[in-house]
Amino acid sequence: MSRSVLFVNLRRIKREGQEALLAARALGYRVVVLGRALPAFAEPLVDSFHQVDTYDTERSVKLARELAAEHDIAGVPNFTEVDVRLVSAIATDLGLPALPAEAALAARNKYVMKQAISGKVDVLPAYERVTDLAGLRAAVERIGLPAVVKPTGASGSKGIFELRSEADLEPAMTELLRIADPGFDPVFQQFGAEFIVEEYLDGVELSVEGFVAAGQVHVVGITDKVTTDPFHLELTHRFPSALPTDAQATISRQAGEVVRALGFDNCAFHLEAKWGERGMRFLEVAARPAGDYIGSHLVPAATGIPFFENVIRVATGEPLRLTPDRDLHAGLRFVLAGSAGTYAGLDGVAELVDAPGYDHVFTEVPVGAAVKLPPADFGSQRVAAVCARHVHRAGLDALLDAVPEVVTARVTAG
């Protein structure tokens, strides 16, 4: 019987979850999943599913131990943000390549993360931990305005608020206390109503994609990104970066220093930063592959590097495959709903797909679903993603910049 890999839940976006399972299959592994639920798209690709509340670490580790007695588990790859610490605990318990527990905590809590690298003043913004309005006022008095406040343990751009004036503080904290509750999102079972305030950073937004395997950092590349104003939802990603070569070298070096200082090992990483007049300024880093189709589609389309297969290789201790076989530019543009209501579909898709250069149109919200805008909800405004690639960056930019003129979200009132 073939060896197995143990997944802990799957990515929320269907096509990313599917690509993760296909990556394991491509490497010849059987797939065992431990999770809260198994989505229908995954059923044909999963050999064995075992339901458990994965917010219950003790119970989940116990079940994983039982599964290891039944299956020849070769590794426990991590693809999700919320399960970083649980995957670390399971892999460690099974004696498999694992992210160290302290590094896993730092990866999940933005305040702990910055405390762990507090000596790297060359890349860190000013920051403070707060839990209430009084603490927020005091922090802003020391850090200054503009600033940004967000939950320490959230993911997916949930609850990011810009503070431009004193008048912004109370509304932001009111919304944060509403959002940072397990009733709003189960992710807040882990750190609850704990927030981090940071100085607002000017500059170009970017992310660094890579791996740490057996203590060695591998930077695969840098992604240029644009987010919405003022809630910082990702709007577009373009890989590789168009920043100057010397800037990219500095960013790659400093990203490696950060993940090493955090003690990352046996994991993929997705580090977010800004590049400006003061050089690279660090925002945060995740101990898992990038979302938004960057790891699943953009990096492979641009370079031929099978990013998700490498996530499996890291978890099983196999050598990584990092040699590119092409030199292209790949990116995506999200289609945003312009108003709240009921999602009725996309207009312009047929016209778009007839044009060369567009690879995929992925829908993220089903027709008939309710659409809300931030701050009421941070997950439903992005209704679709359009992926494209080109031999030149200027060509990719033209393709993606044309998307909002061609494809629009149809939303009805109600």
Side-chain angles (χ1 to χ4, degrees), residues 3-8 32-34 57-77 85-99 315-316:
R3 303 196 74 189
S4 300
V5 289
L6 176 63
F7 282 71
V8 178
V32 180
V33 176
L34 177 155
T57 299
E58 183 177 353
R59 185 180 172 196
S60 298
V61 172
K62 180 176 181 292
L63 177 55
R65 197 178 302 140
E66 294 170 358
L67 293 174
E70 300 175 19
H71 305 273
D72 184 10
I73 303 295
V76 190
R85 296 177 73 192
L86 177 56
V87 168
S88 167
I90 289 173
T92 298
D93 186 74
L94 298 182
L96 296 168
L99 177 69
T316 57

Side-chain angles (χ1 to χ4, degrees), residues 82-114:
V82 73
D83 299 306
V84 166
R85 296 177 73 192
L86 177 56
V87 168
S88 167
I90 289 173
T92 298
D93 186 74
L94 298 182
L96 296 168
L99 177 69
E102 289 186 5
L105 173 60
R108 280 293 299 124
N109 185 295
K110 296 173 178 60
Y111 178 73
V112 175
M113 178 188 300
K114 288 188 167 61

Side-chain angles (χ1 to χ4, degrees), residues 226-315:
V226 175
T227 60
T228 63
D229 183 32
F231 292 108
H232 297 269
L233 298 183
E234 277 84 357
L235 180 62
T236 180
H237 300 287
R238 304 176 192 206
F239 183 94
S241 174
L243 285 170
T245 301
D246 58 345
Q248 294 195 48
T250 298
I251 291 164
S252 296
R253 175 180 56 79
Q254 293 183 318
E257 292 172 356
V258 168
V259 297
R260 276 190 289 268
L262 288 168
F264 278 21
D265 202 1
N266 304 310
C267 65
F269 70 84
H270 170 68
L271 183 147
E272 297 183 349
K274 285 191 174 183
W275 177 262
E277 291 182 357
R278 294 189 290 171
M280 190 190 96
R281 306 297 283 177
F282 172 69
L283 296 175
E284 60 193 57
V285 61
R288 43 95 182 151
D292 289 352
Y293 310 98
I294 296 170
S296 60
H297 290 79
L298 301 190
V299 173
T303 67
I305 294 172
F307 203 95
F308 274 16
E309 286 186 19
N310 282 325
V311 176
I312 306 294
R313 290 186 174 99
V314 165

Side-chain angles (χ1 to χ4, degrees), residues 39-161:
F41 77 81
E43 292 176 1
L45 298 171
V46 173
D47 295 287
S48 182
F49 170 69
H50 302 268
Q51 190 171 38
V52 67
D53 178 6
T54 47
Y55 289 105
D56 185 335
T57 299
E58 183 177 353
R59 185 180 172 196
S60 298
V61 172
K62 180 176 181 292
L63 177 55
R65 197 178 302 140
E66 294 170 358
L67 293 174
E70 300 175 19
H71 305 273
D72 184 10
I73 303 295
V76 190
N78 183 61
F79 285 90
T80 66
E81 177 65 22
V82 73
D83 299 306
V84 166
R85 296 177 73 192
L86 177 56
V87 168
S88 167
I90 289 173
T92 298
D93 186 74
L94 298 182
L96 296 168
L99 177 69
E102 289 186 5
L105 173 60
R108 280 293 299 124
N109 185 295
K110 296 173 178 60
Y111 178 73
V112 175
M113 178 188 300
K114 288 188 167 61
Q115 285 290 92
I117 58 170
S118 57
K120 293 195 65 59
V121 294
D122 56 329
V123 298
L124 276 179
Y127 67 94
E128 289 199 24
R129 175 185 178 274
V130 301
T131 58
D132 56 24
L133 181 58
L136 179 59
R137 291 191 193 281
V140 166
E141 186 173 340
R142 287 186 287 270
I143 292 173
L145 292 172
V148 174
V149 61
K150 54 190 174 183
T152 60
S155 60
S157 301
K158 298 183 186 76
I160 301 176
F161 291 87

